[in-house]
Amino acid sequence: MKTKLYLLLAGLLSGFAVLAQKPAPVGIQLYSFRDQFAKDVPGTMAKVKQMGFREAEIAGTYGMSLTDFRKLLDQNGIKAISTGASFEDLDSNVPKILAEAKALGAKYVTCAWIPHPGDMFRIQDADQAIDVFNTAGKLLADNGITLCYHTHGYEFQTYENGTFFDYMAENLNPKYVNFEMDVFWVKAPGYNPVALLQKYPKRFLLMHLKDRKPGTPDTNTGHSDVESNVTLGQGDVGIAAIMKQAKKSAVKHYFIEDESSRSMEQVPESLIFLEKLK
């Protein structure tokens, strides 16, 4: 009897181990665990692996050299798909960005913020970004790296008969610059991520999956309370419909991003939600 019970328990544990190692259906933006990485880089990376993630977007190396951080990724079977770059470096130091992307093995570089005064985004800010992104994007593309601008809310402020995003999409050369849709930051200013994917079906190559607590006030400033980030499927962003459309709209890589203080608890729950959508 004891032997049978032991074998049964062993089988269950083995099953749980296999389940835990099952590859996640999407990647993770490592910024989600910035507080944990700041205290323990190897331990936090091990947790990322245990959750099942095999793809990641990089947001800094937490004091480690690029070489050592890449080794840590490799040891945990995690591939760097994309890495962030500042607007300033895109403007004046593309070789630095190239070196970082190549050291990490990333094929995409993202930029998440265009400098502008206060909360108002202006035409001169958009024009400067178009110039910088088109120039840097060509240099990156010539070296096998794709540049994507990460939407952040303020580019949906009104301009002429549309938004500054429409203006940028029209003037950024799709051969060199495309987009990473942060679905939270499309919803925040009152726009529909599904409709935007349909309007620009081949421009969003990357996507941040992030949900918003119902009742959170809309904003087009690019600023919002990080604690409004909730488990995917529990918010008002409409993740299920977005995933359905994204698969038709040439999105190549998805990353869960949870900026709340509950990310370690919420991210595994978000993965369960995404698995159920299959």
Side-chain angles (χ1 to χ4, degrees), residues 251-268:
V251 177
K252 298 183 182 301
H253 297 277
Y254 307 81
F255 307 100
I256 294 175
E257 184 180 43
D258 188 328
E259 297 187 58
S260 77
S261 59
R262 306 172 303 281
S263 59
M264 269 290 169
E265 294 74 40
Q266 290 186 171
V267 168

Side-chain angles (χ1 to χ4, degrees), residues 156-214:
F156 292 102
Q157 292 176 24
T158 302
Y159 177 68
E160 292 187 338
N161 295 322
T163 65
F164 284 108
F165 179 84
D166 294 318
Y167 178 76
M168 290 171 64
E170 183 180 342
N171 288 281
L172 287 169
N173 188 335
K175 287 171 63 177
Y176 307 129
V177 191
N178 284 287
F179 299 98
E180 176 173 59
M181 178 185 286
D182 185 310
V183 298
F184 179 102
W185 287 118
V186 175
K187 177 70 173 178
Y191 286 82
N192 183 344
V194 171
L196 200 64
L197 284 166
Q198 291 170 340
K199 186 174 182 178
Y200 299 102
K202 296 180 181 179
R203 299 302 300 273
F204 292 102
L205 306 184
L206 308 176
M207 179 175 281
H208 275 188
L209 297 172
K210 186 190 303 180
D211 217 340
R212 185 179 75 160
K213 182 179 179 180

Side-chain angles (χ1 to χ4, degrees), residues 79-257:
K79 180 174 176 54
I81 300 299
S82 56
T83 185
S86 70
F87 187 85
E88 292 73 20
D89 281 343
L90 285 166
D91 186 22
S92 61
N93 201 349
V94 173
K96 174 191 171 187
I97 295 169
L98 267 174
E100 290 178 353
K102 289 184 178 295
L104 292 167
K107 295 296 184 185
Y108 295 87
V109 162
T110 64
C111 180
W113 195 263
I114 298 167
H116 56 280
D119 290 335
M120 291 301 296
F121 195 63
R122 309 166 305 173
I123 186 61
Q124 54 262 50
D125 303 317
D127 282 335
Q128 183 188 17
I130 289 163
D131 180 49
V132 169
F133 289 160
N134 278 335
T135 302
K138 184 178 188 311
L139 292 169
L140 291 168
D142 289 345
N143 287 274
I145 305 293
T146 300
L147 177 61
C148 289
Y149 171 62
H150 167 292
T151 56
H152 222 291
Y154 51 78
E155 62 283 284
F156 292 102
Q157 292 176 24
T158 302
Y159 177 68
E160 292 187 338
N161 295 322
T163 65
F164 284 108
F165 179 84
D166 294 318
Y167 178 76
M168 290 171 64
E170 183 180 342
N171 288 281
L172 287 169
N173 188 335
K175 287 171 63 177
Y176 307 129
V177 191
N178 284 287
F179 299 98
E180 176 173 59
M181 178 185 286
D182 185 310
V183 298
F184 179 102
W185 287 118
V186 175
K187 177 70 173 178
Y191 286 82
N192 183 344
V194 171
L196 200 64
L197 284 166
Q198 291 170 340
K199 186 174 182 178
Y200 299 102
K202 296 180 181 179
R203 299 302 300 273
F204 292 102
L205 306 184
L206 308 176
M207 179 175 281
H208 275 188
L209 297 172
K210 186 190 303 180
D211 217 340
R212 185 179 75 160
K213 182 179 179 180
T216 301
D218 283 353
T219 172
N220 64 5
T221 66
H223 302 289
S224 186
D225 181 3
V226 295
E227 298 305 335
S228 66
N229 290 190
V230 295
T231 300
L232 297 183
Q234 293 186 5
D236 64 2
V237 173
I239 301 296
I242 291 167
M243 291 299 289
K244 188 175 181 180
Q245 180 60 45
K247 290 171 182 175
K248 303 174 185 176
S249 299
V251 177
K252 298 183 182 301
H253 297 277
Y254 307 81
F255 307 100
I256 294 175
E257 184 180 43

Side-chain angles (χ1 to χ4, degrees), residues 16-63:
F16 286 137
V18 170
L19 190 64
Q21 291 301 312
K22 184 181 179 183
V26 298
I28 182 76
Q29 164 52 268
L30 294 183
Y31 185 75
S32 302
F33 305 132
R34 59 198 178 281
D35 294 338
Q36 292 83 359
F37 273 114
K39 297 170 186 171
D40 180 4
V41 182
T44 304
M45 195 70 79
K47 289 180 180 178
V48 171
K49 176 186 178 180
Q50 287 165 5
M51 289 179 190
F53 289 108
R54 298 295 176 262
E55 293 188 348
E57 187 170 65
I58 313 302
T61 59
Y62 303 95

